[in-house]
Amino acid sequence: MTDTTSGQPKPSQPVLVMRGITKRFPGVLALNDVSLECYAGEVHAIVGENGAGKSTLMKILVGAYQPDSGEIVLNGRPVHFRHPREAQSSSLSIIYQEFNLLPDRTVAQNIFMGREPVRRGLIDNRAMVERTQELLAQLKADHYIRPNMLIRQLSVAQQQIVEIAKSLSFEARVLVMDEPTAALSPSEIEILFRIVEDLKKRGIALVYISHRFNEIFQIADRVTVLKDGERVATRDINDVTASGLVHLMVGRELSQYYPPYAKSEDIGAPFVTIQNGGNARLHNINLELRRGEVVGVAGLQGSGRTELARAIFGAEPFTSGTITINGKTVRIDRPRSAIQSNIGLLTEDRKQEGLALKQSVRDNVLLAQRALRGIFSRVTRKAHEDASQLVERVDVRSAGLDQQVQYLSGGNQQKVVLAKWLATDVDLLIFDEPTRGIDVNAKSNIHEIIRQLAQAGKAVLMISSELPEVIGMGDRILVMRDGTIAGELPKGPEETEIMLLATGEQVSI
């Protein structure tokens, strides 16, 4: 593969060098001769499709995997880590997308677990708390995170800060961040970015993995593109555009990120109508979901977006108001009744709520069918054949239908969830953050499938934290605020129009 750089001189020797890294798994060449450098005080972004090799490369870096060939040089000397703890002890830390914290232990206990300060043969809690306070102060977080708080009391963003503090406690010179903003609100992302800038000023090298291009262009100094286990290019961020990155990642131009909107004549009658719907978290919900239409849902974190999806699906049902389906009043008080009413939900948390991770691709695709027929029912041979066709339709990249879902990439896991609901042929599909944590090409595939579902006469409700996605996909857009629908916008609004509604301002249409 080609390697293109800007050729501009670097201010110092790299803190980290990965040279010629190759890794094979049975039947798969996961990495082939990949090299990477990272300098003190820079953010080096790594991008690529799901399955491009990003996670494998990082696991090799921290000693979770061993390379078949290649070398790692840290602070000018070759290193060989046999375990992530060895990497931490050598000033290299990684913060995974799913945190490694114990919820019922304190912040201080999590930071110093297994290496607590000792005095006279006993753990020195006072010293541990004082050191934790110093670390939190370095991150300017000591005024809202206290050493003695339990992890379960903290928000996702605060837990991430604890992970960063833990890395600093090892005196990390290189910090790897894997999709650090996937579950953060815009205001929390701003806090994280301020911390990243402070870490840069202190000379820490950061490797930043993200699928969000706007973040990469905001915070990265350089970017490396991986494709099919090989390095395609390394560029200074000022020397590449978003479309250029897409081309490097997928090997083709994506002239449009989103398929065309529905034509007005293709939008049919309402499938679901909700009047004055309410529960403990929602109130005065009035909406129609029509066949052939994609309705986007926007709003700030905590505005009621996910609660709306869960209410329609019966996971947190409406306790007031009425729901009609095809003009007939129905009661949806649990997920089974929603499924029986031809409603499906692709949950925001695919790993915890959407998949049985230790079961096969085939079994996961058939989960919703079993819910309709009874969990102990016998699935017909035709259903198994249909499962195979659905997996092919949504382009799940796996070793076969018998592969456990836990070993698939995030994008392919999301496609398995989608295939699960396609197997039931439901009439309303609710997508809650359908492309969170997946690459641009997988996003494009899912967007295309969503539009095809609408064109086939399905009703679609799509929730997303990414405003460009809501705007690009929504034939109309609902904006949530404080548990109610603050307003409705036609297709193609400006981001500012959505944000004004989301924050309580008025918009004239």
Side-chain angles (χ1 to χ4, degrees):
M1 307 295 284
T2 59
D3 174 28
T4 309
T5 63
S6 67
Q8 295 182 5
K10 297 299 172 188
S12 63
Q13 293 298 314
V15 176
L16 169 69
V17 178
M18 302 184 75
R19 186 178 295 121
I21 302 296
T22 298
K23 179 65 177 178
R24 292 177 177 84
F25 296 106
V28 178
L29 179 60
L31 293 171
N32 183 26
D33 193 30
V34 174
S35 297
L36 176 75
E37 295 179 345
C38 197
Y39 291 80
E42 82 160 345
V43 175
H44 192 136
I46 300 180
V47 300
E49 298 179 69
N50 291 102
K54 304 184 299 296
S55 295
T56 301
L57 185 65
M58 293 302 101
K59 288 178 179 178
I60 287 174
L61 174 60
V62 299
Y65 290 164
Q66 302 303 311
D68 296 325
S69 61
E71 68 171 343
I72 299 173
V73 178
L74 186 63
N75 296 319
R77 65 179 183 87
V79 294
H80 179 77
F81 301 129
R82 293 166 295 181
H83 190 276
R85 180 56 65 93
E86 293 182 2
Q88 284 183 322
S89 301
S90 298
S91 72
L92 192 157
S93 290
I94 183 168
I95 301 174
Y96 292 104
Q97 190 172 349
E98 295 171 0
F99 303 143
N100 186 27
L101 299 171
L102 297 179
D104 292 315
R105 299 289 185 91
T106 68
V107 170
Q109 288 169 338
N110 270 274
I111 289 176
F112 289 100
M113 186 169 298
R115 51 196 182 93
E116 296 86 351
V118 175
R119 184 184 182 202
R120 296 176 182 175
L122 298 175
I123 293 176
D124 190 343
N125 284 300
R126 180 176 178 178
M128 187 165 64
V129 167
E130 289 177 352
R131 178 60 180 142
T132 300
Q133 189 73 14
E134 292 172 3
L135 292 167
L136 294 171
Q138 290 178 28
L139 299 173
K140 299 180 176 62
D142 53 319
H143 61 289
Y144 57 90
I145 302 177
R146 298 185 301 278
N148 288 322
M149 293 177 71
L150 296 178
I151 293 298
R152 68 167 62 258
Q153 296 176 285
L154 305 181
S155 68
V156 172
Q158 291 169 337
Q159 290 181 37
Q160 190 170 68
I161 291 172
V162 173
E163 287 277 22
I164 295 172
K166 182 165 66 174
S167 297
L168 294 182
S169 74
F170 284 97
E171 299 183 352
R173 295 287 310 281
V174 179
L175 180 59
V176 180
M177 307 182 83
D178 186 4
E179 293 287 350
T181 64
L184 303 188
S185 67
S187 60
E188 291 169 334
I189 291 172
E190 289 183 12
I191 293 171
L192 175 65
F193 282 4
R194 287 199 297 269
I195 290 173
V196 168
E197 287 297 330
D198 288 341
L199 295 176
K200 285 177 60 177
K201 292 175 183 176
R202 294 168 54 182
I204 294 174
L206 295 109
V207 180
Y208 190 94
I209 301 172
S210 178
H211 294 303
R212 297 183 175 184
F213 282 7
N214 61 326
E215 294 179 5
I216 290 169
F217 282 95
Q218 182 177 346
I219 202 166
D221 300 291
R222 290 191 300 152
V223 57
T224 287
V225 181
L226 298 182
K227 178 176 172 57
D228 298 330
E230 299 187 1
R231 183 177 72 163
V232 177
T234 297
R235 299 271 182 89
D236 282 358
I237 200 67
N238 294 327
D239 295 339
V240 67
T241 63
S243 59
L245 274 185
V246 171
H247 179 65
L248 290 169
M249 285 173 58
V250 304
R252 59 185 173 87
E253 296 289 349
L254 290 182
S255 56
Q256 290 190 354
Y257 286 89
Y258 304 100
Y261 295 116
K263 297 177 181 177
S264 57
E265 59 267 26
D266 294 332
I267 297 175
F271 173 66
V272 173
T273 301
I274 300 171
Q275 294 180 312
N276 301 316
N279 60 23
R281 301 188 180 189
L282 301 171
H283 55 276
N284 198 32
I285 300 297
N286 292 279
L287 66 90
E288 289 183 337
L289 301 173
R290 304 183 182 97
R291 294 180 180 275
E293 181 183 39
V294 177
V295 177
V297 180
L300 301 177
Q301 191 173 41
S303 62
R305 299 171 308 177
T306 293
E307 290 79 5
L308 177 63
R310 292 177 63 82
I312 297 172
F313 191 64
E316 296 178 15
F318 289 113
T319 54
S320 62
T322 60
I323 301 176
T324 60
I325 295 181
N326 287 328
K328 180 181 178 181
T329 301
V330 298
R331 177 178 172 81
I332 298 178
D333 55 0
R334 54 182 177 159
R336 182 183 292 274
S337 57
I339 297 171
Q340 291 170 340
S341 297
N342 284 326
I343 298 173
L345 169 63
L346 283 83
T347 178
E348 177 183 19
D349 189 343
R350 56 180 172 259
K351 289 189 175 181
Q352 295 295 323
E353 300 176 343
L355 295 166
L357 292 174
K358 294 186 178 181
Q359 293 187 29
S360 68
V361 171
R362 179 188 288 106
D363 287 343
N364 272 275
V365 172
L366 297 173
L367 278 177
Q369 276 201 27
R370 291 184 189 275
L372 281 171
R373 300 167 182 264
I375 192 166
F376 297 110
S377 64
R378 182 177 179 273
V379 179
T380 64
R381 175 179 293 182
K382 183 178 184 304
H384 281 281
E385 294 172 351
D386 290 345
S388 178
Q389 294 174 2
L390 287 169
V391 165
E392 184 176 349
R393 175 184 171 188
V394 300
D395 193 28
V396 175
R397 307 287 177 88
S398 70
L401 291 177
D402 293 323
Q403 184 178 14
Q404 289 185 13
V405 167
Q406 64 178 326
Y407 298 119
L408 301 183
S409 67
N412 283 306
Q413 288 178 349
Q414 186 74 332
K415 291 177 184 177
V416 172
V417 179
L418 178 55
K420 175 183 75 174
W421 287 112
L422 294 181
T424 65
D425 196 31
V426 295
D427 289 308
L428 167 63
L429 271 165
I430 305 168
F431 293 83
D432 193 357
E433 302 288 1
T435 63
R436 171 174 285 171
I438 64 177
D439 66 75
V440 65
N441 201 34
K443 282 185 179 183
S444 179
N445 291 341
I446 288 175
H447 292 154
E448 193 64 45
I449 291 169
I450 289 173
R451 182 53 66 188
Q452 289 171 1
L453 289 168
Q455 291 171 343
K458 309 295 185 184
V460 177
L461 185 73
M462 193 200 77
I463 300 164
S464 177
S465 298
E466 298 186 32
L467 291 185
E469 182 170 60
V470 174
I471 294 168
M473 289 298 299
D475 297 311
R476 57 190 170 97
I477 296 169
L478 308 176
V479 184
M480 299 289 296
R481 186 180 74 248
D482 297 332
T484 192
I485 298 173
E488 179 179 312
L489 296 168
K491 62 186 177 185
E494 297 293 330
E495 290 189 20
T496 52
E497 294 180 274
I498 295 176
M499 289 306 298
L500 287 171
L501 280 171
T503 55
E505 301 293 337
Q506 295 296 316
V507 179
S508 58
I509 303 173

